[in-house]
């Protein structure tokens, strides 16, 4: 009888470990699945895996994480543009940076509004407004189609923000069904 209880307890422990490892791998697969659909898979994987909230997260939590990370990056990019504007002596660059500052201010404002769409389960609205955010750094980049060229730091910040916002776009499409 004691051996039977021991075997049953061992069976339960092994079963619970197996189930919990399956749940963990399913969540990891969700991050992989989302990131495989984004424009910049590496940025997506790095951003979502670096945030501890993504462990065991569902799509809505991953959307919240993506919005938070995107907002922080948009604010950093906006601060960079503001610094570049203050340092610029070339009138053309001043005009371009001023335009970019407006773009990044719009991106920050739009990102701040995204949690409301997520909370109300308006996934189409989330997608539309996230798409608008994605256009903002791209519009800034367009200002530099002719010399003087875009500062490499700004281009990198723009690319990263667009990559992060693509996570929100993918998730909003998945949530829309």
């Amino acid at each position: 009888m004691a051996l039977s209880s021991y075997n049953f307890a061992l069976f339960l422990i092994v079963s619970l470990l197996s189930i919990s490892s399956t749940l963990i791998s399913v969540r990891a697969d969700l991050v992989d699945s989302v990131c495989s659909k984004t424009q910049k898979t590496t940025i997506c994987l790095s951003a979502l895996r670096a945030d501890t909230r993504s462990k065991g997260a569902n799509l809505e939590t991953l959307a919240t994480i993506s919005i938070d990370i995107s907002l922080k990056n948009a604010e950093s990019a906006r601060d960079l543009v503001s610094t570049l504007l203050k340092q610029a002596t070339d009138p053309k660059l001043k005009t371009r940076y001023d335009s970019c500052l407006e773009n990044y201010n719009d991106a920050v404002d739009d990102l701040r509004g995204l949690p409301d769409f997520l909370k109300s389960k308006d996934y189409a609205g989330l997608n539309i407004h996230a798409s608008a955010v994605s256009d903002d750094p791209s519009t800034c980049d367009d200002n530099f189609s002719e010399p003087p060229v875009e500062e490499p730091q700004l281009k990198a910040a723009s690319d990263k923000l667009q990559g992060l916002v693509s996570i929100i776009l993918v998730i909003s499409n998945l949530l829309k069904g």
Side-chain angles (χ1 to χ4, degrees):
M1 189 80 159
L3 187 57
S4 174
S5 294
Y6 172 78
N7 285 340
F8 181 72
L10 186 61
F11 170 76
L12 272 177
I13 291 170
V14 169
S15 295
L16 289 173
L17 287 173
S18 173
I19 290 169
S20 74
S21 101
T22 301
L23 289 174
I24 290 169
S25 71
V26 165
R27 294 302 180 197
D29 290 343
L30 183 58
V31 169
D32 290 343
S33 175
V34 166
C35 290
S36 71
K37 295 172 177 69
T38 63
Q39 294 173 353
K40 302 187 188 272
T41 305
T42 308
I43 289 174
C44 178
L45 290 170
S46 174
L48 292 181
R49 287 191 177 142
D51 193 299
T52 56
R53 297 174 293 170
S54 66
K55 288 186 180 180
N58 60 19
L59 281 174
E60 288 190 353
T61 302
L62 289 179
T64 298
I65 293 166
S66 301
I67 292 167
D68 292 348
I69 294 169
S70 296
L71 178 58
K72 286 176 189 164
N73 276 269
E75 290 170 338
S76 292
R78 180 187 61 191
D79 293 346
L80 173 62
V81 172
S82 183
T83 300
L84 292 170
L85 176 60
K86 288 175 189 167
Q87 294 172 349
T89 55
D90 182 330
K92 280 185 182 178
L93 279 177
K94 283 185 178 233
T95 301
R96 291 176 187 178
Y97 289 140
D98 193 49
S99 175
C100 286
L101 189 57
E102 197 174 306
N103 296 135
Y104 281 98
N105 279 329
D106 290 346
V108 167
D109 289 345
D110 285 341
L111 283 163
R112 286 185 178 148
L114 293 185
D116 292 337
F117 291 102
L118 187 59
K119 186 190 257 185
S120 67
K121 300 191 183 308
D122 180 0
Y123 306 127
L126 175 65
N127 187 276
I128 290 165
H129 286 83
S131 183
V133 172
S134 187
D135 289 342
D136 291 321
S138 176
T139 301
C140 173
D141 293 342
D142 291 345
N143 287 321
F144 297 92
S145 59
E146 296 176 14
V149 297
E150 186 171 10
E151 194 64 37
Q153 275 182 289
L154 181 55
K155 180 63 177 148
S158 171
D159 289 346
K160 184 172 183 181
L161 181 57
Q162 289 176 62
L164 292 169
V165 172
S166 77
I167 303 169
I168 302 167
L169 292 170
V170 166
I171 293 171
S172 64
N173 282 326
L174 291 170
L175 287 168
K176 284 192 307 186

